[in-house]
Amino acid sequence: MSALALSVLLSLVSAVVYAAGAILQERVATDTPDRPYAPLHHGVWWAAVALNGLGAVLHVIALAYGPLSLVQPLGALTIVFALPMAALFVGRGAGHTAWRGAIMASVGLAGLLALTDGADSRSPAGGERLVLAAATFGAVGLLFLVAQAVGRPVVRSMLLAGAAGAAFGIASVFTKTVAVDWTSEAPTAQAPNLAVIAVLAACGLLLSQAAYRGAGLAAPLATVTVVNPVVAAAVGLTLFDERFRYDVLGTVLALGSGVVAAGGLILLTTERLTAQTARTPDARQHTAGSPAARPSSWDRPPDDAEAPSDPDAALPQVGEGVDVGSVPRPRTHLEVEMRSGAVAGGS
């Protein structure tokens, strides 16, 4: 098997593993709503952590055998793999809008990263790395704080997913820096970069876990998958001296790909907002034949409620086998008014 074919195979397996981990994270978020970030007692969460770690290892090995312009777009297939896997294994289907959004986001992301030329990339200097790390932690922290102030669960999840994608993307940047600068003579020189990678990876994992609470699978996963490589590509263009291919034409095509990816993300968000609204209608719109959907206060009228206009309508029929003598006599309008007056006087 050639190196290129091995890189493609590893990238596809990595995308499947990442998708499986995301599905487990979404399941854990549903089962443990009181622990949105790190449900350490939940065994399935640790399985998701292991799958994410395996996916990361496979992705790094794929980068070692193949070009970045090929491996990174294949990682976007995580979105497309996750939707049928969720429907097949956990019965969590997605609507047509979610499918269109996932495909649009994947195609746009693949086009954007395929146009990025990193052949002549360089490693950023120590000062640039320090500024990048500080800016990343500041941006991730700001998104986290804004998410806590947002009332709508889907919007909050999207903000947390965006923060997770940014953390993962910059962690990839520092990983590439370590790979470029690594020397066996001075391995400890990369200790600060390795520490930044560990912290960003942990933040990304915890934030992505919280993003699945209240927003389902498709929208948070798409956000993480799109923001991650887009952030990495933006840093590569500014700090690694990377360029888009085909000069002006490539830049125009890259911008168009970004618009397509953003449109797919909007479709995914819209689908989740519509589904959430449909599941939580106003209680008064439920039918009378659905007692489970009614508040408990609707099951019995209050003691001082006004009697029906037709007292006989409230009585069961004799043919129904009910002892008429045991049925309480309904109060008349006069009794209701006297009782209301007594209550008002007593208050």
Side-chain angles (χ1 to χ4, degrees):
M1 180 181 294
S2 66
L4 184 62
L6 179 60
S7 175
V8 172
L9 177 60
L10 290 172
S11 299
L12 293 176
V13 176
S14 175
V16 173
V17 172
Y18 272 131
I23 293 171
L24 292 183
Q25 283 186 274
E26 193 271 338
R27 174 184 171 185
V28 172
T30 303
D31 295 342
T32 58
D34 56 329
R35 295 177 180 267
Y37 297 103
L40 302 178
H41 66 287
H42 205 299
V44 177
W45 186 74
W46 288 107
V49 172
L51 286 172
N52 279 282
L54 177 60
V57 171
L58 293 173
H59 185 74
V60 171
I61 298 175
L63 284 173
Y65 285 96
L68 178 66
S69 59
L70 174 67
V71 175
Q72 286 293 104
L74 290 176
L77 294 175
T78 299
I79 309 172
V80 180
F81 288 151
L83 295 182
M85 288 173 63
L88 179 62
F89 294 110
V90 298
R92 192 178 301 278
H96 296 293
T97 302
W99 275 103
R100 288 195 297 269
I103 294 174
M104 284 180 61
S106 300
V107 170
L109 179 61
L112 178 65
L113 294 177
L115 292 167
T116 301
D117 186 2
D120 299 325
S121 62
R122 67 173 180 86
S123 178
E128 292 174 327
R129 299 178 195 179
L130 180 61
V131 171
L132 178 60
T136 302
F137 285 118
V140 170
L142 178 61
L143 288 174
F144 174 78
L145 293 176
V146 173
Q148 304 310 304
V150 172
R152 303 199 71 171
V154 174
V155 178
R156 180 175 61 250
S157 296
M158 298 294 287
L159 291 171
L160 292 173
F168 284 137
I170 302 303
S172 299
V173 171
F174 276 88
T175 301
K176 182 178 180 180
T177 300
V178 170
V180 171
D181 296 342
W182 183 269
T183 58
S184 58
E185 290 78 9
T188 58
Q190 299 297 328
N193 294 326
L194 293 174
V196 172
I197 294 171
V199 174
L200 287 175
C203 290
L205 176 65
L206 299 179
L207 290 170
S208 64
Q209 177 62 61
Y212 291 111
R213 185 170 62 101
L217 174 69
L221 179 59
T223 304
V224 173
T225 307
V226 170
V227 171
N228 177 349
V230 167
V231 168
V235 173
L237 292 170
T238 55
L239 296 183
F240 286 82
D241 290 338
E242 295 180 351
R243 296 289 182 269
F244 288 120
R245 298 174 180 177
Y246 314 118
D247 298 328
V248 177
L249 177 61
T251 302
V252 173
L253 292 175
L255 292 175
S257 298
V259 171
V260 172
L265 188 59
I266 292 173
L267 283 179
L268 283 166
T269 308
T270 303
E271 193 269 346
R272 290 307 308 170
L273 287 171
T274 303
Q276 186 183 59
T277 303
R279 288 196 304 267
T280 57
D282 187 81
R284 286 176 175 79
Q285 296 177 357
H286 291 291
T287 59
S290 302
R294 297 194 308 264
S296 58
S297 59
W298 289 18
D299 295 337
R300 184 184 69 256
D303 293 337
D304 57 349
E306 184 175 346
S309 57
D310 185 5
D312 295 334
L315 294 174
Q317 300 298 322
V318 177
E320 296 177 353
V322 179
D323 185 4
V324 179
S326 64
V327 178
R329 180 181 60 83
R331 290 173 292 180
T332 64
H333 286 286
L334 178 59
E335 290 174 328
V336 171
E337 292 175 0
M338 292 175 63
R339 177 179 176 85
S340 300
V343 172
S347 60

